[in-house]
Structure formats: structure tokens, C-alpha cells
Amino acid sequence: MAGLVTTFGAGAMTNSIGEIRDADFLFVIGSNTTEAHPIIAMEMKRAVKRGATLVVADPRSIWLTSMAERHLKLRPGTDIWLLNAMANVIVTEELYDEDFVAHNTEGFEAVAETVRAYTPEAAEQVTGVPAEEIRATARQYATTRKAGIYYTLGITEHSHGTDNVYALANLVLMTGHLGHASCGMNPLRGQNNVQGANDAGATPVFLPGYQRVDDPAVLAKYQASWGVELDPTPGLNLNEMMKVAGTQLKGFFVMGEDILLSEPNVAHLEEGLNGIEFLVLQDIFLNETARFADVILPAACFAEKDGVFTNSERRVQRVRKGVEPPGEARADWEILQDLARLCGADWDYGDPAEIYAEMVKDAPKFAGISHARIEREGGIQWPCASPDEPGTTFLHEGGILRGKGLFTPVDYRPSMELEDSEYPLLLSTGRTLYHYNSATQTRREQGAGFKQPEAYVELHPKDAGRRGIADGDLVELLTRRGNLRCRALISRQVRRGCIWMPFHFAEARANLLTNDVGDAVTGTAEYKVCAAEVKRLSEQPAPVAFRGSYYAVEGPGPGKVDELPMAPVSAADPGD
Amino acid sequence: MTQPQTLTLNGRELAFAPGETVLEVAQRAGSFIPTLCHDPRLAPAGACRTCLVEIEGWRRMAPACATPATAGMAITSESGRIDRHRKSLMALYLADHPEGFVGSELGAPDQVYQLAERYAAPTDWPRMDNIRAGRPLDENPYILFDATKCIACARCTRYCDEVEAVTAITLAGRGSQTTIATVDNLSLLDTTCEMCGGCIDTCPTGAMAEKIPLLTAARPERELTKVRTTCNYCGVGCQMDLNIDPEGNGGRGKVVKITSPAPGTTTNDGNLCVKGRFAYDFIDHEDRLTTPLVRGADGQLQPASWSEALQRAAEGLLGVAERHGKDALGFISSSRCTVEENYLVQKMARAVFGTNHVHQCAAT
């Protein structure tokens, strides 16, 4: 998001979900869309069936690659090489939009200079993606008007995540794929209200509506509205907070997050939490973090309260109360109000509509939106500055929000931890269709239990064979930060030398393994690349079934591995 | 520019856009033509023959869903001939459908029965010997296939193919044995099925249905209340309807089913995924926190009253700020909670405690 704000002046999907079906070229990078955003994937499928070209860039074969024209199966963490090489092709073959670059952007020369060294041939050496495929993708992207980029955490969850975003934005700016339908730069949000939480100012740098806390005019406005002195120094981001838990930070208020399951390098975090003095937790279930909590406040879930969520395409939509919360549980906003009053505030909100009205009063981007209006019209997409405006389907129509789009030259920096003789595999983590985040909700669901009953790691057949690991074996997974046990799923979806694991399972917390080195700008941790090793355990429990797994070697179906011939491994195997 | 093209429907002149079908023009004009196999998300199939209309100069009636509108077309959608056709067609469907309006109380309304009633179709036609095969042993937890109610309109298989694109189910067999099958009659769990439940959503008769609500004997459909809300999983923001048994859970209400709004009305276009449609058991799970907890002197969490817990929380946070300064506090908000709640957390951090140490897990 920080990258997007710098480049375009707004941190959100530039275009809308409904426009995807009309796109002619889709570049999906670092997004397993069918599993993480199934409904957006349906729009992509619809576009492809209509005749659009889909190119997927991902270290892993994902469902979408089966319908893609091209799959750029790059080595994890080498995105900058791939993207800069695409820019190199666009610059050297003069495929960029001269007019758009001249009138709507600044800094093009610097990027053109930087990408000169990133030839497709050199990129092939680093990324493993053939130079001709990079060329073809760059040409198609640059010469198709309705060409959209779609990405998620495969781009941002790196120590160079913000650089990745800049590299993508450079492509968008040089081709002018901005300001009309079915194009743009589209981060797909992982959680229901990621967009809304950022919109609302739950960030150390921004007050509501992306207004900086260190902007004196903004600060003065909020000091007047709230009637208190405010601190003009940006605070610590989440990654930084986790690192100084117990040292600089002695008390926490945590709402609706299991930091011990979700944050990287949790062993270090646990140590830190032992040194804190006080922690309040507000949630719907007891979670791992509860072990460190002094007070736990039971909250209502989405079906039990009113409010709004803002989706990936900036659409503000109502959440409506359908049932009463169980026992004494209460809506988070009611609890927050009571707590704030006990701490000296004079809050007196009657309902969420009043809170929303207060928020938009000082945040021009949302000023035209209200609960009453959503009730009448359905969801409204910001920016929407006044009640007479319809909202905004795609951004930057008739000019980029920040005035001129800012090119940012970026150079490749290797991921912070690469494979070596001791830890020869590269581990990435991610989501699956059947579970959700820390799975406090979906593991209480029987369907998910049938499809993915236990934690697992995907392993290439060759890497498995060398270690004597068979499909379904219980293995130990080790990194420099910790180890855990899970099932091995032998899969050709991962590159050789790479392994992949979902992060949903509390008994095999992938984040015991991941690296907490953060992106320099956002603090987002490097969940997507770290060095690891897998070992078969000598004692094997009873097998479990992962039914109909799309990613297993033998594909969906009830067959067992030993009943089906393994794909022959020939000398010409490209080593994927 | 060419002049907008027009046709007439029951004498009314209507403009249409190139590529529109007769059914689309009629629906846009608010004129009802019955359909069973039509779903705007799917390519027209013209399979159920319910939407037949008369077109001037055409000897045979034509399916409105699969007939492209052309300039000057004169269409009749209500006439004695059409009415006779609808009556006998529905009588045929009834002869191949469970007798006595079975199961119409639970689950989505069966449109065969509805249309049969609407057109007063005879119910005494000789019954077909229905030997359509089901998959009674499919132990998937969500999707029930009741072969007796299937009319082989192929909405579910076309949806699975054209929209979800996993092609887990297919038409199999011939004639009255035509059924909805999987490869080798496997359980849906063992196929490419992703359990999106789109087959349920598109099914016009309830042959594809939500297994859990039906098997746990939920209330009749008409006694459920629907509340439109936004899904709480990923960032797509699908709109969904909570189907609530108002008397469930001892009167506090129970979500017994989740359905999607009609296609074309919201961002998700009538679609939902496995989590959105089916993963709602957590709402009433016994592990839900139902009372505040406070850690006692013995180090154990003990149930407490709200006033006690809130007092303790306030004192704890204020105490840290007093001893170590305001910037010794960290506020972690949640992208799972509402905008309003996130606003309040950051306002609490900034305006009440004076720190900008506020963030949530998703700021990239």
C-alpha cells in the first residue's frame, strides 16, 4: 500500500472487480486467485473464456496456470528481475506510451536507465523464466489496451515487497494502462476489511483517509475535531511492534488477531511477550495469544453486529446484524466505547452509523458516503467526496490522483535468507481454498476437515525421492528459527528445490519457521522466502486422506500413489 | 450511428441492443416469461422449453432465451396456444417429479411446482418410471443431490463448467435416465469440485440442495428471515443473505443457511465460494467466548463480569502508560472487524492514549 500511495496517490485497486471480465490481457503475479479470491477468479475465468490472454507469474503451478496462455514459473524472490526485464523490453522496443509518459508521469528516464541492465537473457539466468517468454509477455502487455495487473501477497510479503510494487507500477505507468476500464494495478485484498482497516486509519502513519499524521494541517484538523493534543510522530508498524514486544512495548491491546499464529518468527515473539506487563485481547474465540492475555473480552462476530466493510475495489458495503451474539458477547464497537470511557474519553456513539459519520467528516475521500446512502443505493466505491457523487469505479480517470504518476527505479536485492547446504530448500507459505487465515473459523467446519484435515507441506517428487519421503508421510520441517511436524504432499506444482506450506494450522504453525525480517517501508515480513529442510520421521502414524487434492501428483480422485504410475523422470526434465 | 433497433412484445414496442435475446429484452421491460433452464451467467441452452413464445411469421414457437432479438420481430408471450403448451409441459415435468409436492416446505422453492400451479397443469398424467440415478453414498458434507427432483436442465453442470470452470459434474445417461453424475460416480470430495455450491444456487427445483439445513430439519423456507450482509472472509466483499431461523438458539436467532443474491445485482454476480456459502458453523460453535475472562492471582483465566473485566483492562492499559510512558503501548486492530471498529481503535490509541503505535495485520 505504501508503494501505491507513493506512486499514484492512493493505495487500493485502481479498477473494479466487475471490469475483469472485459479485460483482454490479465497479468496475475503472486496471487493464487482461485484459492484466495475465488469470486475474482471466476471473473478471470470468464475473461479467458471470452478470449482474453492470461499470463500467470508464480513459483508454483496454481489452478489458474492450467488455463493460462503462459506460466512464468520464476524462482521465489526474483520478481524484480522478471518485472525489470519486462520493462527493459518495453523500453528498448519502444512499446511504451510516449504521450502518457510525457503528460502524466515523472521519473521515466531514471527507470529506463535502471532497467537497461535487466535484459531478458540475464533475467532468464536469475529467474529461470525463458527470455522469449519474458519478451512475449512484455509485448502483449504493452500493446493491449485493456491490460490489468492483479497481485497479492506473493508480491508484498518479501523484504523487498515495496520494491516489487514499484516495479509493477513502473510497468503500468510506462504503458499508460491507467484511468480507463479493465486495466490498472490491482492488489487483491486478503481479508474482508483490509481496505477498510487502512481506510479507517488503523496504521501508524495515516489518520483516516490516508492523511499523514506528520502533516501539520491534518494534525491540526484532528486536534480540533477530537479536542486533544495528538502526537505528530508516526508510530511503529506491526512488524516493529512485534520485535520490541517486552522491551520498548510493555502493554498491548489486541482486537481480532492471533498474533502468535499470524506473525513471523513466533518463537522470538513469545519470548518478547513474556516480558510484557499487560495484554487485553478482544476476540470471538480463545486463540494462541490468549496464553499471554490478562483480560479477554468476548466479541460478536460479523453476523451479530452492524457496520461496514470495504472490499478490494474500494466498495463500502453494509454488514448487518442478523442474530444476537452468544452469552454475554458484545459488538467490538460497544466494547471499545466502554473501554475508552473508562480510560477518560467522553465517547457517546449510539450506533455504528454515527461512528461512520464522524469518520467521514474529516476524511474527504469518503465524505459522500453514509450508512443511510448505502441502505438506499447498495455499496459505494470511494473516492466519493459528496452525497451527490456516484462514487468511483476506476481511479485516475482524467489524470492521476497525485498529479503525476511517479516512476521509482528499483534494483534487485536477493531475499534475506537463501538456500544453503544446511537448509537446501526454499519455503514459501500461503493460503488454501478451504481454510482461512489462522483457521479459527474454518477448522470448526467439517468440509475443510475432509479436504485438508492436517497441516502439510508440498514437496517436488525429486526432492521427496532423495529424502526417502513418500506421499502422506509425516515429516519434520526445519528452518533456522524453528521446526514443526506435518504431512508431506508430493506435488509437481512446486518447483524442484522449493517447498510450500499453508499457514492455517495451529499445531504446525508455519510462522515458527518464517523470517521476521521486514520490508523497509511497510514492515511486512518475508513470509514468502526462507531456507528450509525436510526430514522424514522414523515413526509414522496412520495415514490421512487429503481428498480430491488438485495439487497432488496424481490429481483429484481416490487413487493411491502406488497404484498409479509416477510420471517418468527423463533427462530432458526442465527441473521444475 | 444506426437508429436503435426495435421489436414488439405483445404489441409493445421495445428497443434492444445488438446481441440481446428475446428473453433479455422482455425481462428488461418487466415482462414475465417463465424459464427453468435459464441463468443469466450461462450461455443459453434452450433445453427446458418453458420459455417458448410465438414470433410472427414463424411456424413453430421459439425459446425466448436462445432466440436473438432482430429488428421488427413481433413476439407474443401470452396466448391460448402458449398457455396450452405451458400446461402440458408442466404436466410432463410433474409426471417425472415427486408426487404431492414433496419437500416443497424445506429448501429452496421448487419452480416446477410453482409454474405447475401458476398454469394449472394437470396432475393426473401417467407417471414416468423415474429411474434417474443419484449418488446416495456421496458423503460430502454440503451438497445434496436429490435425483427425483432433477429435470436435467443442466444448469448445474453448465455452471460448474462455464462459471466455476472445474467441470466436476456432468450430464450422464440418456432419456429419462439422464442424471447429474461425477467421474465414476465418485463423491464430490474426490473430484475437482471446489464445493462452491453454485450448483445449488442455480438449481431451479432444489434437486441440488444444502445438505446440512435439509438433514437437520430446518424450518420451512417461508419461516426463515433473510438478512443481506457482506461476507467476512476474503476481500472480494461478496454480498450474501443470512437465512435465519428467528426462534433458533433459544430465541437469539440461528443462521441455518447462506444464500447468494440474484445474479447481476451485486459484485459477486450471484456467486459464492465454499467458505462464504458453507463455512458458517463457527457462528454457533461451542468454543465461542461467551463471558469476559480475567487472569486471577493463580495465573488462571477466570470468568468475570463486564464491569470487572473492563475496569481491569482500563487500569492495566493506563498503568503501563503511567509507568513506561504512552509509547510503551501497542494497539493491534483487525482487518476482520468493521471500519467503524478500526476507526475507534485508532482513535483510542491516538486521542485517548496519545500514541501512534496502532496497526493491523494487513497493511501492504
Side-chain angles (χ1 to χ4, degrees), chain A residues 151-162:
Chain A
Y151 69 93
T152 58
L153 305 179
I155 279 293
T156 51
E157 283 182 355
H158 290 277
S159 54
H160 46 264
T162 301

Side-chain angles (χ1 to χ4, degrees), chain B residues 171-193:
Chain B
L171 285 177
R174 296 223 168 246
S176 67
Q177 295 185 46
T178 307
T179 189
I180 310 299
T182 58
V183 173
D184 290 342
N185 256 342
L186 293 173
S187 162
L188 285 174
L189 286 171
D190 296 319
T191 68
T192 51
C193 174

Side-chain angles (χ1 to χ4, degrees), chain B residues 289-300:
Chain B
L289 286 166
T290 55
T291 175
L293 301 171
V294 168
R295 198 168 295 279
D298 60 354
Q300 299 301 308

Side-chain angles (χ1 to χ4, degrees), chain A residues 260 270 273-274 276 278-279 288-294, chain B residues 295:
Chain A
L260 273 179
E270 285 210 22
L273 289 180
N274 279 324
I276 64 167
F278 197 73
L279 192 149
E288 290 287 313
T289 310
R291 287 190 281 126
F292 295 91
D294 295 285
Chain B
R295 198 168 295 279

Side-chain angles (χ1 to χ4, degrees), chain A residues 18-42:
Chain A
E19 296 168 26
I20 296 174
R21 61 178 66 177
D22 298 317
D24 293 320
F25 185 87
L26 303 109
F27 186 57
V28 176
I29 180 163
S31 161
N32 186 359
T33 323
T34 51
E35 302 212 41
H37 302 91
I39 304 303
I40 289 180
M42 285 184 188

